[in-house]
Amino acid sequence: MSNSAPAPLHVVDLIRKKRDGGALNAREIGFLAAGAANGSVPLEQLSAWLMAAWLRGLSLTETQALTLAMRDSGEKFSTARLGKVAVDKHSTGGVGDKTSFLVAPLAAACGLAVPMISGRALGHTGGTLDKLEAIPGFQTALTLSEFETVLEKCGASIVSQTLALVPADRVLYALRDRTATVESPGLICASILSKKLAAGLDALVLDVKTGSGAFMSKREDAEYLAALMVATAEGAGTRTVALMTDMGQPLGRMAGNWIELVESVELLRGQRNPESEDLRELSLALAGWMIHLGGKAATPEMGRQLADTALANGYALRVFLEMVAAQGGEVSVFDDIGAFHKPGATMVVEAWASGFVAEMDTTALGWAVQRLGAGREKAGEPVDPYAGIEFRARRGARVKAGQPFATLYATSEDMLAEPAELIRAAVTIQDAPPRPVPLVSRIFTREAADAYLKDAVR
Ligand code: URA
């Protein structure tokens, strides 16, 4: 055998191999990912390969190879100098999902580092960065060295993705958006995890949403994605768990930008509200797993107890406010959170029937929030920090016709009518109470994920 260099790769061969149902090896996948990042593979060939991958699917081995190749396509954040175990949480997105503002300070208050790289509002779902930017002065576009400084000081930092981090995803995600190849479990898994793993995480908790507001509308698709992400991240050496959680109604009572921070800070201050209990409960469950996987508690239940203590003694609130200050935000806006809220127009939507609040089309509710000005139609558009919806009755509540159901906050009067109509059409009020839905319906640990994938037919 000669020690000759491996045969050169040709993109057209890799497209053909995938098109015909073959599996690419790590070298071939690495070639495509690097080519996407450095521009050496033309977009038409990447598009063709993406469509072949969408139609044929990617095996677990291919998904793992793509995740690592994308992770390694640009610069990475090193958590080594922090001297702490680095953990994070990732949610597949939803309406009113503001757990990041609770779990990041909760885990940091328990001695962990939380380097969180977040996204913006997309479609019907809200964006963590847009919500944080409602705080005057708050900077999300930090350099990796500024990110490290905030993490050293506060234990948690929430920032946007830098241009140099995972460039392969920037190219591939934009192409998937334009070639109808977004909804592929392997491609989604590699896209999400490459960015998370580039942040140097030791442990990761995934919050995979199910129900009417979830990104994956079919439960079995969401389960498969959850198991695939756990197996892939664990294979890359990051301790990972996925919780399947309910997005059959907005999480908590606020959905928008500033108002979601209000609800989060109320909870961090120890203020309880029956309409915010699901948010509190899910945040503690997620933080419990982060604290457990980060090695600070023997079980997730003990992690939850530590998180509960950090909530009760105000440590988590202190971390949150320190993080806001360290990222340039005006902390004084939290002195009088009501006074800071200055929406252009307000409207109360009254319950249109008497009975129990039941099924909700949460995606439609998310669009209502977006149309009030809180989200964007096109990438790059500004969002209104004050826009959003406060839900005054949640699923299962008994309401009387005419009582306040929701308060709408919009940029201007003319933006109120359509969202009000969307709400009336999206929510069912019926005579009988609806069946209760568990907040956390399934947990995929590594073992559970491996067992699921062994049996899954794809
Ligand atoms: N979010 C991502 O970052 N990537 C996907 O592919 C889907 C959702």
Side-chain angles (χ1 to χ4, degrees), residues 173 176 187-188 191-192 195 215:
Y173 195 75
R176 285 166 59 209
L187 296 176
I188 295 171
S191 166
I192 292 174
K195 289 174 280 192
F215 167 65

Side-chain angles (χ1 to χ4, degrees), residues 91-114:
S91 152
T92 57
V95 181
D97 183 1
K98 52 196 89 68
T99 61
S100 293
F101 307 133
L102 292 137
V103 302
L106 284 168
C110 294
L112 297 163
V114 189

